[in-house]
Amino acid sequence: MKKALFLLLLITNGIIFCQTKDYTGTVKSKSENLPLPGVNVIIKGTKIGTQTDIDGNFKISVPDSLEILSFSFLGMITLDYKLNDEKNIEILLKDDCNIDWFDINHVGFYLNSGLINNPVGGLFHFSFKPHYDWPNIKTGISYQTNLKENVFINAYLNLHHLFVSCNFNADINSSYRSLDYDNNIDLSAYSVETSLNFNNFSAIVGVSTINFNKTSTNENINSIGPTIGVGTWIGQPFLMSVSAKTTIYKNLNEYHVEVKKQYKGVYGFLKYYKVNDFNELSLGIGIELSY
């Protein structure tokens, strides 16, 4: 009698477990709202599953005792969906974001010539990442001269790839500029800026301080001013970055424009700098090596 009752209990439980509900649905890409064929649809905790067809549609029978479907697809974030009374469902999968920074460990050497005032010069660039979850540190210095009275120095220390997500990252850039020009202009300036990068567009905001002396007019300007600018990255086939910014001081403005181009292992740039009566158009070409 006991054996009969135990067998009856097993049969009853089996019947209950085998009761299923049919679910249908469509899986789409959330970013493009297009159907995704070949998505794996698995009843979580089992090996029971199916795949979406060419139109992103699927049909699956789920035991009553289970209630979660797992949706996975290459390049998308896996989604666990809890079933409810809705028998026809729409699933939107988000793009997965695996960002590789190709500028982490680089050392660069450039020939840097001023086409207006300082024909001789060079630039050294170095970048590294101290720890995998730290920002990328970039530093460097450029030097230009006419081998006489003109000397133009620009040094920088930057922290790149802060607050990283798929469509946003941020940089903090600091720089020092020193200029002796024609025994007439003596300048030193410091800047700290934040570059907010949205996809291929950047917004630049910051603050700078300047000490500017001009002998011919007895000008002496010590001022702090805001820096604003924009930038963009142009991908294949151009592989080019463009940025422009200005700093507004009291009775003085400072302007920077830079275009940087990559071709295989060779890099080139064109920079324009202007403050008061001094302006320089610099052309550079060099290599950046990974280590």
Side-chain angles (χ1 to χ4, degrees), residues 26-41 51-58 71-77 91-95:
T26 304
V27 182
K28 296 181 179 180
S29 164
K30 186 172 183 179
S31 59
E32 299 178 350
N33 197 34
L34 294 176
L36 289 174
V39 176
N40 293 313
V41 185
Q51 285 190 335
T52 57
D53 62 19
I54 193 170
D55 297 316
N57 299 319
F58 69 92
F71 297 85
S72 61
F73 188 70
L74 184 64
M76 298 289 176
I77 298 175
I91 300 297
L92 299 177
L93 295 184
K94 296 180 180 179
D95 294 333

Side-chain angles (χ1 to χ4, degrees), residues 275-290:
V275 60
N276 196 266
D277 293 334
F278 175 81
N279 61 91
E280 184 63 276
L281 183 65
S282 300
L283 178 65
I285 186 168
I287 57 173
E288 294 192 10
L289 305 173
S290 299

Side-chain angles (χ1 to χ4, degrees), residues 198-269:
F198 305 89
N199 291 322
N200 293 335
F201 174 80
S202 298
I204 303 168
V205 293
V207 63
S208 297
T209 179
I210 195 169
N211 185 352
F212 176 86
N213 297 284
K214 187 174 182 180
T215 304
S216 61
T217 58
N218 292 320
E219 289 181 78
N220 187 352
I221 299 174
N222 289 286
S223 178
I224 298 175
T227 299
I228 55 174
V230 294
T232 187
W233 164 256
I234 304 172
Q236 295 283 1
F238 299 102
L239 296 177
M240 179 186 301
S241 64
V242 181
S243 64
K245 60 184 179 181
T246 183
T247 303
I248 304 170
Y249 304 105
K250 183 179 180 181
N251 302 321
L252 188 69
N253 290 344
E254 196 177 18
Y255 303 94
H256 305 257
V257 178
E258 179 179 25
V259 178
K260 189 171 183 180
K261 165 74 176 168
Q262 175 187 352
Y263 180 73
K264 295 184 177 179
V266 179
Y267 293 76
F269 64 77

